[in-house]
Amino acid sequence: LMVVEGVQLYPDIDPGHRNRADHYWWGSILKGVRVDPINLATPSFEQQLVYSPHDWGPWKNPRVQLSVGRLSYRSFVDRLAEYWAFILGLKNPHPVWLGEFDTCNFNRICTAGSQLGSQGWWFQALVKYLRNNPEIGWAYYPINGTNSLDEPSNNSILYKTPGKYDTPIMGALNTIQPAPPLPI
């Protein structure tokens, strides 16, 4: 497989924003695929192309927080479509693998918070989006215990303590169906 991530900065083509760049999260902008898709020259290579954005909530990426007055699940989905999810609807779509997303641990507001624009709201909206779009593959970051000290400041699902894991995050992720196998 050839996995192509997005970029963090992309030229803003809005005439009102000359000489500016649209910026989102590292690896999240795949807008260029609309106008200049990757062409691997042969059908057999084309079948091996996978686009892989990253997406993070306001905990790590304050840019994702939209104006609360206009924030809704629909506006969240529109934002994903603006940056990377549009690939699923292209005439010749390629698989999409959400290669990295995360929420903070040890704090239920990071997984179940309901305030519009909060980390918990973002996480629940992303889980719902992945549940509604099972064709999107995904990987939670990080799933191993190497980034965990069993303290509230870290963000791993698995703790260094054997057999201990973040129950609210695992519960939410367990509601997402795995993507069906790709025809290869």
Side-chain angles (χ1 to χ4, degrees):
L1 295 177
M2 177 171 286
V3 179
V4 176
E5 284 189 358
V7 295
Q8 179 184 8
L9 300 169
Y10 190 77
D12 191 339
I13 57 173
D14 182 347
H17 296 120
R18 289 192 187 140
N19 300 321
R20 293 181 52 138
D22 186 4
H23 57 95
Y24 195 46
W25 182 254
W26 298 322
S28 292
I29 301 176
L30 284 162
K31 289 180 173 185
V33 173
R34 281 190 173 116
V35 293
D36 194 15
I38 305 254
N39 182 350
L40 296 177
T42 66
S44 60
F45 285 150
E46 280 292 316
Q47 292 177 346
Q48 295 176 297
L49 178 62
V50 176
Y51 288 107
S52 181
H54 298 176
D55 218 291
W56 291 75
W59 173 57
K60 285 207 175 178
N61 183 13
R63 288 265 311 149
V64 303
Q65 196 167 11
L66 303 172
S67 167
V68 172
R70 297 180 312 182
L71 189 59
S72 65
Y73 179 73
R74 181 75 245 159
S75 64
F76 173 80
V77 169
D78 290 346
R79 188 167 187 92
L80 296 181
E82 176 186 354
Y83 287 106
W84 57 266
F86 69 88
I87 292 170
L88 300 169
L90 293 175
K91 181 179 177 185
N92 296 314
H94 287 279
V96 173
W97 175 265
L98 182 56
E100 187 176 300
F101 71 99
D102 185 2
T103 193
C104 47
N105 290 6
F106 298 95
N107 188 338
R108 293 215 34 99
I109 64 166
C110 294
T111 56
S114 60
Q115 180 182 355
L116 286 175
S118 71
Q119 181 66 27
W121 184 90
W122 172 87
F123 182 69
Q124 290 300 317
L126 184 61
V127 166
K128 178 179 178 179
Y129 183 77
L130 292 173
R131 195 171 38 244
N132 291 341
N133 293 277
E135 69 276 19
I136 299 173
W138 57 272
Y140 186 85
Y141 174 88
I143 199 162
N144 64 33
T146 60
N147 195 30
S148 178
L149 300 173
D150 287 349
E151 295 178 5
S153 61
N154 292 287
N155 62 334
S156 177
I157 291 177
L158 301 178
Y159 299 164
K160 286 193 177 202
T161 304
K164 187 176 177 187
Y165 59 91
D166 190 289
T167 306
I169 292 174
M170 287 297 292
L173 296 179
N174 283 335
T175 68
I176 307 170
Q177 295 296 316
L182 298 174
I184 295 179

